[in-house]
């Protein structure tokens, strides 16, 4: 409690929120955990019992080390605490080892490292303008943002039920964003560089960081119309940024460069042989593409336009497998997904350069980069949607339009995580947690912008039109069909993948819509003209 008081500077409500969610995380300790639990136990064993030179070659388990070096060293540090709980968990050959002490250690290690996430949330709250807020604490933007982040449904189930260490990683990301809002650019750049060497998925948003730092930090002055004064370029500043990136990269990759192991590390970090989609299709463009391929193949068979003997039995659209051979539409290559991703990202980057909107414009670009990579990337995991949802929380308390997009994205994105928890005991838990979070999100943001509207004497606008409302309400019947009806039908044996396919495709529609709506907002919003002198 004393530590929380230091962090919050006397904001007792923030301490209560942080302690409350920590208590909830402790209650979730006995719940189901996925194979990721064994993944991280194996990484503890690898980094503890083997020399550094063997970390990225060890393959006793199928769950080989495939995160960047900083995360490997993180596991190494944890392993030296883990040995006091259960030494057997650190044996590389103890595959699928689990004990009560192992469970407690790994669960509490996630909870403990979430302290960085709590601190980052507090720093982000400092960046929120609360001058026009209500006098009621629970109606203040900072309070609402704290709940949306600390109690985020997706992060809770992914880290504290499914099992991963996303909390402290998102803590690094949010802290770097907060530092850029606070114009502490070098700190923000350093934190993001460190983050990239913990988990390379954050490369998705690297273009937004690079362009923003170049535009707002390396160029020290703007013209009155907002365009750059080219003669204001600071060689010292760009050198300092390059030096930060180089030193962090050298610290991370240097030992493996000396061992001539960089090719091996990169082959682990970027395994393009895994296929276009994960075992459960992430709800993105390729899910819609796969579904269309399936529909066309069925129509083709019915019209006798396709030869059943020539349809590959292990094609992606015949079930949820990792191969990426399509039946009717052209199969997709890693290069094709890269080109699509770059095309989707470029407009947001150009807006960041030519239509500067300050830190909020940077944040929007980060979200669009994350969403575009999620939409068109290769072998995207469904959990990657959190990379857009959490930063979008910061925008949601600023403008009603952003709040509307946030609610569509977060509701759809969170529901798309339901298949991660497929065990019966967790069914009421995930439904109750998501309903609670969604109801709070809608009601609190609605109250917030009702107050803003009354302050500016504006007419309050609804968050959703009839089409959006109909779509979001459709998640209820979808859940009933997938969880309560389908298991008792004859289709369960013939089409076991159907609930996952329906969930993926339905959610892909909502996420695609939110992505498009956010992009439209970014492209149409006017730039913020400020003559910058630093």
């Amino acid at each position: 409690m004393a530590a929380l008081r230091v962090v919050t500077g006397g904001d007792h409500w923030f301490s209560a929120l942080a302690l409350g969610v920590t208590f909830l995380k402790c209650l979730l300790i006995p719940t189901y955990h996925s194979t990721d639990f064994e993944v991280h136990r194996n990484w503890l064993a690898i980094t503890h019992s083997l020399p550094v030179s063997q970390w990225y070659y060890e393959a006793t388990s199928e769950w080989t080390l495939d995160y960047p070096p900083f995360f490997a060293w993180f596991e190494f540090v944890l392993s030296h605490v883990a040995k006091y709980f259960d030494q057997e968990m650190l044996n590389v050959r103890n595959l699928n080892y689990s004990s009560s002490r192992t469970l407690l250690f790994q669960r509490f290690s996630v909870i403990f490292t979430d302290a960085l996430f709590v601190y980052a949330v507090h720093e982000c709250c400092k960046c929120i303008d609360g001058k026009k807020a209500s006098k009621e604490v629970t109606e203040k933007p900072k309070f609402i943002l704290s709940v949306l982040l600390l109690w985020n449904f997706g992060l809770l189930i992914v880290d504290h039920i499914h099992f991963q260490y996303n909390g402290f990683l998102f803590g690094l990301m949010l802290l770097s964003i907060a530092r850029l809002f606070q114009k502490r650019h070098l700190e923000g750049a350093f934190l993001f560089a460190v983050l990239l060497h913990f988990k390379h998925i954050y490369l998705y948003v690297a273009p937004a960081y690079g362009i923003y730092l170049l535009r707002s930090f390396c160029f020290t002055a703007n013209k009155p119309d907002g365009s750059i004064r080219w003669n204001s370029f600071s060689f010292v500043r760009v050198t300092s940024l390059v030096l930060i990136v180089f030193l962090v990269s050298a610290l991370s990759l240097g030992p493996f460069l000396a061992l001539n192991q960089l090719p091996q590390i990169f082959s682990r970090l970027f395994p393009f042989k895994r296929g276009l989609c994960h075992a459960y299709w992430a709800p993105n463009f390729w899910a819609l593409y796969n579904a269309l391929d399936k529909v066309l193949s069925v129509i083709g068979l019915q019209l006798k336009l396709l030869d059943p003997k020539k349809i590959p039995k292990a094609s992606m659209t015949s079930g949820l497998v990792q191969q990426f051979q399509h039946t009717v539409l052209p199969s997709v290559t890693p290069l094709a997904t890269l080109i699509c991703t770059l095309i989707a990202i470029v407009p947001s980057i150009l807006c960041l350069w030519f239509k500067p909107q300050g830190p909020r414009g940077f944040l929007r670009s980060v979200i669009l980069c994350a969403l575009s990579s999620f939409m068109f990337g290769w072998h995207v995991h469904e959990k990657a949607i959190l990379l857009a949802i959490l930063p979008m929380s910061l925008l949601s308390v600023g403008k009603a339009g952003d709040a509307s997009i946030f609610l569509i994205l977060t509701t759809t994105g969170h529901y798309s995580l339901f298949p991660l928890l497929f065990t019966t005991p967790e069914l009421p838990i995930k439904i109750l947690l998501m309903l609670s979070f969604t109801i709070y999100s809608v009601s609190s943001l609605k109250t917030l912008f009702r107050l803003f509207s009354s302050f500016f004497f504006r007419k309050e606008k609804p968050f959703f039109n009839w089409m959006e409302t109909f779509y979001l309400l459709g998640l209820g019947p979808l859940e009933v069909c997938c969880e309560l009806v389908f298991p008792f039908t004859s289709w369960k044996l013939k089409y076991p993948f159907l609930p996952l396919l329906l969930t993926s495709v339905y959610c892909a529609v909502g996420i695609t819509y939110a992505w498009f709506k956010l992009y439209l907002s970014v492209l149409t919003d006017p730039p913020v003209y400020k003559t910058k002198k630093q």
Side-chain angles (χ1 to χ4, degrees), residues 68 192 195-197 199-209 269-270 345 369-370 373 387:
F192 185 69
L195 177 61
L196 287 179
H197 288 275
K199 194 170 183 179
H200 51 301
I201 193 175
Y202 293 95
L203 281 169
Y204 287 172
V205 299
Y209 273 84
L269 299 184
F270 304 101
I345 284 176
C369 283
S373 300
L387 193 55

Side-chain angles (χ1 to χ4, degrees), residues 218-237:
C218 296
F219 287 94
T220 61
N222 292 336
K223 295 178 181 178
D225 63 355
S227 61
I228 293 175
R229 291 187 184 274
W230 291 98
N231 60 358
S232 70
F233 180 77
S234 172
F235 182 77
V236 173
R237 291 190 174 193

Side-chain angles (χ1 to χ4, degrees), residues 51-65:
V52 176
S53 59
Q54 296 182 31
W55 286 2
Y56 286 95
Y57 284 94
E58 165 59 34
T60 301
S61 168
E62 62 181 309
W63 312 117
T64 54
L65 181 57

Side-chain angles (χ1 to χ4, degrees), residues 46-47 50-57 73 76 255-256 259 261:
I46 289 173
T47 55
L50 298 177
V52 176
S53 59
Q54 296 182 31
W55 286 2
Y56 286 95
Y57 284 94
W73 288 110
F76 173 79
F256 300 95
L259 293 168
Q261 291 187 1

Side-chain angles (χ1 to χ4, degrees), residues 4 7-8 14-15 17-19 21-22 25 111-125 146 150 167-168 170-171 174:
L4 277 172
V7 171
T8 59
F14 189 89
S15 301
L17 288 175
L19 288 173
V21 76
T22 302
K25 293 170 185 176
I111 294 172
F112 178 79
T113 54
D114 275 356
L116 179 58
F117 182 73
V118 173
Y119 174 70
V121 171
H122 182 261
E123 290 299 298
C124 286
C125 288
S146 297
L150 292 177
F168 88 93
F170 278 117
L174 292 178

Side-chain angles (χ1 to χ4, degrees), residues 19 71 84 174 200 216 220 222 262 330 426 431 442 493 520:
L19 288 173
F71 201 94
Y84 295 108
L174 292 178
H200 51 301
S216 65
T220 61
N222 292 336
L262 287 189
E426 278 65 44
I431 291 177
V442 174
L493 296 177
L520 190 63

Side-chain angles (χ1 to χ4, degrees), residues 319-371:
L320 296 176
V321 294
Q322 294 185 7
Q323 299 177 21
F324 54 96
Q325 188 176 2
H326 292 85
T327 304
V328 179
L329 299 176
S331 291
V332 182
T333 64
L335 179 60
T337 63
L338 176 62
I339 293 172
C340 290
T341 303
L342 291 177
I343 291 173
I345 284 176
V346 165
S348 68
I349 299 302
L350 292 178
C351 283
L352 195 58
W353 184 269
F354 292 106
K355 288 177 55 179
Q357 297 175 340
R360 291 187 65 83
F362 157 70
L363 185 56
R364 285 182 162 202
S365 184
V366 165
I367 297 164
L368 283 173
C369 283
L371 271 178

